[in-house]
Amino acid sequence: GPLDSEILDGCNTYLMTSSLEGGPMPLIETLAAGLYPVCTDTGFVSEVLDYVDLPKDFITPDSFHIAKQISEVSAISIEKRLSFRNKILNLNFQRLTTIISSRLEVN
């Protein structure tokens, strides 16, 4: 079902290991909630992370690196988490369209 804030209460990391995720809209929703992402490089994940100034370190190359990445992202300061949260909250459809179209131009 759809994500809502009650589902995310008490969480600090968003883990997405999908090889097929097209958006992913849950990434945008969890960034807005201030969760740290650890994701596979699908859809426009890297463009969203660029938009909020998060390094590509949040993209997991494979399942063997997930535990290490989760511990690394957990060490990131609250200020950084608030920074990417505020940026994603300012994401509107025009900016999202730019992100998606830049991905299409690369391919």
Side-chain angles (χ1 to χ4, degrees):
L3 292 176
D4 60 34
S5 60
E6 288 137 14
I7 292 173
L8 303 175
D9 284 347
C11 297
N12 69 352
T13 305
Y14 169 65
L15 179 61
M16 186 198 76
T17 59
S18 173
S19 60
L20 303 173
E21 186 69 41
M25 293 311 293
L27 173 61
I28 293 171
E29 293 167 348
T30 54
L31 286 171
L35 274 65
Y36 302 112
V38 174
C39 304
T40 50
D41 194 11
T42 59
F44 51 92
V45 167
S46 60
E47 288 80 8
V48 170
L49 296 185
D50 284 343
Y51 178 78
V52 296
D53 295 325
L54 284 174
K56 296 293 192 282
D57 296 350
F58 289 95
I59 297 175
T60 184
D62 54 51
S63 59
F64 298 108
H65 293 88
I66 290 174
K68 180 179 182 242
Q69 286 180 289
I70 290 172
S71 66
E72 288 174 3
V73 298
S74 297
I76 296 173
S77 70
I78 189 72
E79 292 82 14
K80 182 66 177 176
R81 187 166 83 179
L82 291 175
S83 169
F84 70 71
R85 181 179 184 273
N86 288 333
K87 287 179 183 177
I88 206 71
L89 288 174
N90 288 313
L91 183 64
N92 59 27
F93 284 114
Q94 183 176 6
R95 291 182 183 111
L96 183 58
T97 301
T98 301
I99 289 171
I100 294 169
S101 65
S102 72
R103 178 67 177 205
L104 295 174
E105 290 169 8
V106 170
N107 295 327

